[in-house]
Amino acid sequence: MESRHLFTFLTVVETGSFTAAARKLDYAQSSVTAQIQALEQELGTPLFDRIHKRILLTDAGRRLQPYAQEIARMHNLAREAIGATGDQLGGVLHIGAPESLAAFRLPPIIKEFRQLYPAVQIILKPGGCNELQELLRRGELDIVFLLQERIEDYELKIDLLVEEKMALVAPPDHKLTELSVVEPSHLREQTILNTESGCSYRVLFEKVLNRHGIFLDPSIEFWSNEAIKQCTMAGLGLAFLPFITVQRELEEGKMVALNWDDTDQRVSTYISYHTKKWQSPAQSRFIEMAHKHAEHWRKSAGLAYSQL
């Protein structure tokens, strides 16, 4: 079974057609067809159904796909390991992170990494922490950044980078900004602009409110912190967000951090990777760089948080 046939098979699956696969691989379409036919002949079963000009995987094709993906991954890792001499790293890094970290923690790391190792391709996947952890367990991601309370997972190595302070924010003209201290009872009749269900810091906030008999309205949910910030500044309600995501708006006076008892209301940024998955040189360097940047985050956190 030739590896190039498997790569072609995966490209047809990815692009959805022989024509698109040929274009992406810079092959003649007849070459793609011949390779798939050779693979089907070797395996003794069709891998695709051709229905009304659509290409669909057969049951055999679906069963072959994860094995082909793993072979392709190991092929790339082998080439990367052999070619990784000095600073000439190559290969692909698949990194996952929730939106908050992708926007406010990862850019300086990725910028420095790309300056040092331009041959490494970085594919960044945003998502919820639970989803990203599952993709990491399945080997579909190399590194995952998490924003949540402390967790334990025997399959994953999870390193603390920095503790993140939360902020309960309001538009500048909101009546609660006049209070010296905001109590949970003051939020009973307020509109809270929620992050998606299951978000780590939404869960944290709900626990505090639920202890006081206050339950958030589930009909108002956002998948984007940026959307929540814009709606808060527009006067639609209050929001409970990581301080790093609202720091600029607070400094510019576009929002106000309410004087809220935030005792035990912390989430943390973690970096995680699989304990049983081989770690490429590029992955090792990226993890080292993340820890280096985290040292700066921890030093600057105290000063920034004192502004609240």
Side-chain angles (χ1 to χ4, degrees):
M1 189 180 302
E2 294 190 36
S3 59
R4 66 189 180 97
H5 292 172
L6 292 174
F7 292 145
T8 299
F9 165 75
L10 290 173
T11 305
V12 172
V13 174
E14 177 189 350
T15 59
S17 78
F18 283 33
T19 302
R23 189 161 50 244
K24 183 170 184 177
L25 295 169
D26 197 23
Y27 290 166
Q29 183 173 338
S30 59
S31 179
V32 171
T33 301
Q35 289 186 38
I36 296 301
Q37 288 176 344
L39 188 58
E40 290 176 328
Q41 183 176 359
E42 183 175 357
L43 294 173
T45 183
L47 299 174
F48 294 98
D49 284 321
R50 289 78 166 172
I51 302 176
H52 300 300
K53 298 183 179 181
R54 297 178 60 199
I55 301 295
L56 302 174
L57 280 172
T58 63
D59 179 64
R62 285 191 295 271
R63 284 184 280 124
L64 174 64
Q65 186 178 3
Y67 294 100
Q69 290 171 332
E70 183 63 15
I71 292 170
R73 187 181 72 84
M74 294 303 296
H75 175 89
N76 291 332
L77 288 176
R79 292 186 61 181
E80 179 180 332
I82 298 302
T85 57
D87 291 337
Q88 301 303 311
L89 296 186
V92 181
L93 275 181
H94 293 83
I95 299 173
E99 180 202 6
S100 300
L101 299 182
F104 294 95
R105 289 299 191 199
L106 265 65
I109 305 175
I110 294 175
K111 179 181 178 181
E112 181 180 356
F113 189 88
R114 289 285 297 162
Q115 288 173 340
L116 292 174
Y117 313 112
V120 178
Q121 180 185 3
I122 295 177
I123 299 176
L124 181 61
K125 176 177 175 53
C129 290
N130 291 336
E131 173 197 4
L132 295 174
Q133 283 178 264
E134 182 57 31
L135 292 174
L136 187 62
R137 290 190 193 95
R138 298 206 306 252
E140 297 180 31
L141 294 174
D142 301 308
I143 300 171
V144 161
F145 289 82
L146 303 170
L147 182 65
Q148 56 191 59
E149 296 180 272
R150 180 60 187 168
I151 56 171
E152 299 291 340
D153 192 313
Y154 72 94
E155 287 186 288
L156 306 179
K157 181 75 168 73
I158 302 173
D159 295 332
L160 174 65
L161 295 179
V162 64
E163 185 181 73
E164 306 285 2
K165 185 177 177 67
M166 302 298 297
L168 180 61
V169 295
D173 58 351
H174 197 282
K175 63 180 181 180
L176 289 185
T177 61
E178 301 172 2
L179 299 180
S180 57
V181 177
V182 174
E183 302 288 349
S185 59
H186 294 140
L187 305 182
R188 192 176 299 276
E189 303 301 326
Q190 298 297 323
T191 298
I192 308 295
L193 306 177
N194 302 317
T195 51
E196 71 275 10
S197 179
C199 170
S200 56
Y201 43 90
R202 171 176 169 174
V203 172
L204 182 65
F205 191 47
E206 286 179 329
K207 287 180 180 178
V208 175
L209 297 184
N210 292 353
R211 287 200 298 266
H212 294 82
I214 302 170
F215 299 89
L216 298 180
D217 182 357
S219 65
I220 307 175
E221 292 187 358
F222 295 82
W223 283 86
S224 165
N225 285 336
E226 187 60 35
I228 292 176
K229 289 195 298 181
Q230 292 298 325
C231 290
T232 301
M233 290 186 286
L236 271 66
L238 311 178
F240 185 71
L241 294 170
F243 176 75
I244 56 169
T245 68
V246 296
Q247 182 176 359
R248 185 181 65 184
E249 288 78 7
L250 293 174
E251 292 171 349
E252 295 174 350
K254 296 179 180 179
M255 288 191 289
V256 175
L258 301 177
N259 189 7
W260 166 262
D261 182 6
D262 62 355
T263 306
D264 298 325
Q265 293 178 40
R266 296 286 193 279
V267 291
S268 297
T269 292
Y270 298 94
I271 187 171
S272 182
Y273 47 94
H274 207 294
T275 57
K276 296 181 180 179
K277 185 178 178 182
W278 179 77
Q279 196 171 109
S280 70
Q283 182 179 347
S284 298
R285 300 284 178 87
F286 196 95
I287 293 170
E288 291 171 5
M289 195 170 290
H291 280 282
K292 185 187 75 171
H293 278 260
E295 292 179 10
H296 172 71
W297 299 340
R298 291 192 293 269
K299 289 177 182 178
S300 62
L303 176 62
Y305 295 164
S306 67
Q307 300 170 6
L308 280 176

